[in-house]
Amino acid sequence: MTQQDTGRRFPTVGDGSGMTSDPRFYREELQLAFRNRGMPLEGLRYDITPTGMHYLLTHFDIPEVDPNAWNLKISGLVGNPVTLSLGDIKALPSRTEVVTMECAGNGRALFTPRSVSQPWLLEAIGTAEWTGTPLKGVLEAAGLKETAVEILFNGSDQGVQGEEVQYYQRSLTIEEATRDEVLLVYEMNGRALEPQHGYPLRLVVPGWYGMTSVKWLESIEAVGEPFNGYQMHGSYRYAQTADEPGEPVDLIRVRALMVPPGIPDFLTRTRLLDSGPVTLTGRAWAGRLGISRVETSTDGGASWSDAQLSVQPPRFAWRGWTAQWNAAAGRYTLMVRATDTEGNRQPVEPEWNIQGMGNNMVQSVDVIVE
Ligand SMILES: Nc1nc2c(c(=O)[nH]1)N[C@H]1C(S)=C(S)[C@@H](COP(=O)(O)O)O[C@H]1N2
Ligand SMILES: [Mo]
């Protein structure tokens, strides 16, 4: 390290604003993209995403955990602080939930300008069968005190973000933390969690964007004040400027995606199709809400027609849809949009925010029919 390097600030890309309008990607974005893979959109075919296809997002490094030395501490404003081994947790009542998880930054790279961060297009999704024990039971056994207002979840992975050295930490209100579906999870798709998905234990909060589902859980604390850490206040905010606090990012917004039809051009991913009848397929989800409608467009959003919805899925899982298209020779931009059971519909135009959060604008797929 040279003299000039001391006191260097992180990160040091672009003009230092952390934003760019350059359509090219920075090395720093590529570096993150390799570590944090997405689900190829043809993976929308499966009800349950094969574990190796599920998206990944890890801010820092995957930590080293010795399963024999590991335990979970539950402390803070509780009557009976406890320390549980993995065996203790597995002996508690178990429950499996099929959950569609999505990163809050999904769609970030489709904004202009964009925040220089994990450059997701549309692939930060996956659906898994998560098995664990309801957090509610563990909190009841610990005995929350009246003065507790939030539950804080501490991961064992550490790094620097927003110039702060930190462990990955997020909190939930007592009301959210004690919902029946919130799980302390030790299995994904019927097998022990893999290291990158939070082995040996993670939180899974169905319906919320992925950042809430803290991996590599080490301790849980009942606290008397809302937690103010970086991952609550510095990040995961809907804001228009870097200075304004903005609103917290929380539940997953409605979205539909299609399996890109036909065959891809290797580089551009433009699709090539034969003329004739085509069945478009995909999935739609809305976090805690259901899907009431899916529509497709073959003319870039000028006109829309209703797709056929598949049977009602498990309550936190994506719902299948299909649409028939009689494709004549030409060039098309295919689109799909969903509406949730509260009437929220995906926007066709991007609704920009500075951190690139919750961008659920409709997917466009360029197609050439021959
Ligand atoms: N400890 C810890 N938990 C974490 C993260 C992290 O970096 N560290 N990333 C979060 C984010 S932003 C997402 S989207 C999900 C991704 O979970 P997955 O990698 O199992 O798909 O984990 C969340 N939990
Ligand atoms: Mo995320």
Side-chain angles (χ1 to χ4, degrees):
M1 207 184 229
T2 67
Q3 198 67 38
Q4 284 129 313
D5 280 339
T6 52
R8 187 166 70 114
R9 294 161 81 103
F10 299 90
T12 53
V13 292
D15 63 5
S17 69
M19 300 295 292
T20 183
S21 298
D22 191 334
R24 293 167 301 176
F25 291 92
Y26 286 103
R27 182 200 167 94
E28 283 78 356
E29 294 174 295
L30 194 57
Q31 218 156 239
L32 285 171
F34 283 131
R35 297 184 48 79
N36 296 310
R37 61 145 190 255
M39 187 195 76
L41 292 189
E42 56 273 32
L44 290 164
R45 231 179 252 140
Y46 310 103
D47 288 336
I48 305 291
T49 311
T51 302
M53 268 197 196
H54 193 283
Y55 88 94
L56 281 178
L57 196 296
T58 300
H59 287 233
F60 308 131
D61 290 347
I62 297 164
E64 185 178 10
V65 182
D66 173 356
N68 299 314
W70 180 90
N71 54 41
L72 178 73
K73 286 166 274 306
I74 296 147
S75 65
L77 300 172
V78 293
N80 319 298
V82 277
T83 298
L84 302 171
S85 69
L86 194 55
D88 295 335
I89 293 167
K90 288 184 178 171
L92 296 171
S94 86
R95 174 160 174 161
T96 299
E97 293 278 357
V98 181
V99 180
T100 295
M101 197 185 284
E102 178 172 20
C103 180
N106 203 15
R108 171 178 293 125
L110 300 172
F111 278 150
T112 309
R114 69 178 188 279
S115 138
V116 179
S117 180
Q118 167 71 21
W120 296 122
L121 296 166
L122 291 169
E123 56 294 283
I125 44 156
T127 297
E129 276 182 328
W130 301 101
T131 302
T133 194
L135 174 66
K136 188 180 181 176
V138 172
L139 293 178
E140 277 169 3
L144 288 180
K145 292 190 173 161
E146 294 262 298
T147 47
V149 299
E150 279 194 352
I151 307 296
L152 174 61
F153 302 92
N154 299 306
S156 64
D157 49 326
Q158 199 187 21
V160 189
Q161 201 180 351
E163 298 175 2
E164 266 180 49
V165 179
Q166 59 189 280
Y167 287 96
Y168 188 89
Q169 297 176 295
R170 289 271 311 175
S171 67
L172 281 174
T173 61
I174 307 281
E175 192 189 351
E176 285 294 322
T178 55
R179 285 174 65 97
D180 289 343
E181 69 269 17
V182 178
L183 301 179
L184 295 175
V185 161
Y186 44 80
E187 277 180 16
M188 178 181 184
N189 297 340
R191 299 181 57 181
L193 284 177
E194 294 192 356
Q196 67 278 16
H197 285 294
Y199 179 83
L201 191 78
R202 76 176 299 171
L203 186 66
V204 169
V205 186
W208 281 65
Y209 278 119
M211 72 284 171
T212 314
S213 295
V214 177
K215 303 192 274 190
W216 310 293
L217 259 190
E218 209 170 52
S219 63
I220 296 176
E221 274 168 74
V223 293
E225 298 283 338
F227 173 65
N228 228 359
Y230 182 81
Q231 303 298 338
M232 301 296 293
H233 280 264
S235 189
Y236 299 110
R237 312 293 296 191
Y238 290 115
Q240 294 299 305
T241 67
D243 309 323
E244 109 190 41
E247 291 299 315
V249 173
D250 48 26
L251 300 177
I252 295 176
R253 293 175 166 177
V254 62
R255 192 199 290 279
L257 291 176
M258 75 174 83
V259 177
I263 57 170
D265 173 55
F266 170 63
L267 267 186
T268 62
R269 310 312 286 182
T270 297
R271 315 298 302 183
L272 199 61
L273 262 81
D274 290 333
S275 60
V278 179
T279 303
L280 301 174
T281 69
R283 307 271 173 175
W285 60 93
R288 202 179 265 182
L289 301 175
I291 292 294
S292 64
R293 188 175 189 190
V294 171
E295 299 157 279
T296 55
S297 171
T298 57
D299 53 12
S303 65
W304 296 88
S305 39
D306 279 296
Q308 191 79 36
L309 294 180
S310 307
V311 291
Q312 197 70 50
R315 69 194 168 129
F316 299 108
W318 53 23
R319 186 166 191 178
W321 59 266
T322 58
Q324 303 306 322
W325 177 39
N326 208 356
R331 278 183 165 262
Y332 302 87
T333 298
L334 307 182
M335 290 181 166
V336 59
R337 71 178 178 194
T339 305
D340 69 28
T341 46
E342 288 187 355
N344 302 297
R345 192 170 72 187
Q346 288 181 255
V348 175
E349 295 300 323
E351 293 172 357
W352 190 90
N353 61 79
I354 190 165
Q355 295 180 4
M357 294 292 166
N359 179 12
N360 67 337
M361 70 184 270
V362 299
Q363 175 193 19
S364 295
V365 180
D366 289 330
V367 172
I368 299 171
V369 179
E370 292 189 323

